[in-house]
Amino acid sequence: AQKVTQAQTEISVVEKEDVTLDCVYETRDTTYYLFWYKQPPSGELVFLIRRNSFDEQNEISGRYSWNFQKSTSSFNFTITASQVVDSAVYFCALVRGAGNMLTFGGGTRLMVKP
Amino acid sequence: GAGVSQSPSNKVTEKGKDVELRCDPISGHTALYWYRQSLGQGLEFLIYFQGNSAPDKSGLPSDRFSAERTGGSVSTLTIQRTQQEDSAVYLCASSLHPFGEQYFGPGTRLTVT
């Protein structure tokens, strides 16, 4: 069975601070995909990134960056110079190579204060 | 283009009644998924449709839950004899191909009284 753990249930930062959201996963598959989704107060899940298990290159998209390390089974997400609009619940998720449903972590609620 | 749409956005029903929730995926997406989100259980997978293959029903919590997908497009999730523990937000997602990014609809908030 696979599992995704987001140990930080809630993080509060002041605007312009950098913040890292942790994600640790468990799977026995060698082929899998990792995702991050954002759920703003409006409720709709917004896709942020997908990464396959064979690509450990870090990715940067504007103020967002992701660090994938297979050695520690982690896929952490960093927001640089956070903004109030970044306030949301962020979910890390895993898709097994043999199945296509997302297994979600419990989510991290990020609050960015002005 | 249009995203995933779901209807109704809110549904209040009495315990024991049947409900139907609808999902319109993004046009051309072959894969369709149902999930539910509740305070106690987080985000849980329910069922997955891929093309004309038999659906993966491994996440359905009981035989009161069923779903179908007609013509490879619209899907309906049916909950029979609703119970209070069925109260949750039911989310639909679609993806262009297996393993692709899943795009979510706004959800249906179901309240069983």
Side-chain angles (χ1 to χ4, degrees), chain A residues 37 39 50 97 100-102, chain B residues 35 37 45 48 56 99 102:
Chain A
Y37 283 86
Q39 189 172 41
R50 179 183 74 136
N100 305 103
M101 70 289 289
L102 288 161
Chain B
Y35 298 86
Q37 186 173 23
F45 163 75
Y48 159 58
D56 180 341
F99 313 119
Q102 296 179 24

Side-chain angles (χ1 to χ4, degrees), chain B residues 12-76:
Chain B
V12 180
T13 190
E14 292 180 354
K15 178 182 172 181
K17 295 284 179 67
D18 298 351
V19 295
E20 284 189 353
L21 312 180
R22 177 187 168 105
C23 171
D24 280 275
I26 294 173
S27 178
H29 280 196
T30 62
L32 186 148
Y33 313 78
W34 284 97
Y35 298 86
R36 73 176 176 182
Q37 186 173 23
S38 57
L39 280 175
Q41 301 298 322
L43 274 156
E44 305 172 275
F45 163 75
L46 296 176
I47 188 168
Y48 159 58
F49 296 89
Q50 172 58 47
N52 296 319
S53 303
D56 180 341
K57 304 178 183 180
S58 60
L60 294 179
S62 78
D63 58 9
R64 296 185 295 103
F65 288 71
S66 63
E68 62 178 20
R69 188 179 185 189
T70 53
S73 182
V74 172
S75 177
T76 302

Side-chain angles (χ1 to χ4, degrees), chain A residues 76-88:
Chain A
N76 296 337
F77 173 32
T78 297
I79 302 175
T80 302
S82 58
Q83 299 176 2
V84 172
V85 294
D86 296 327
S87 297

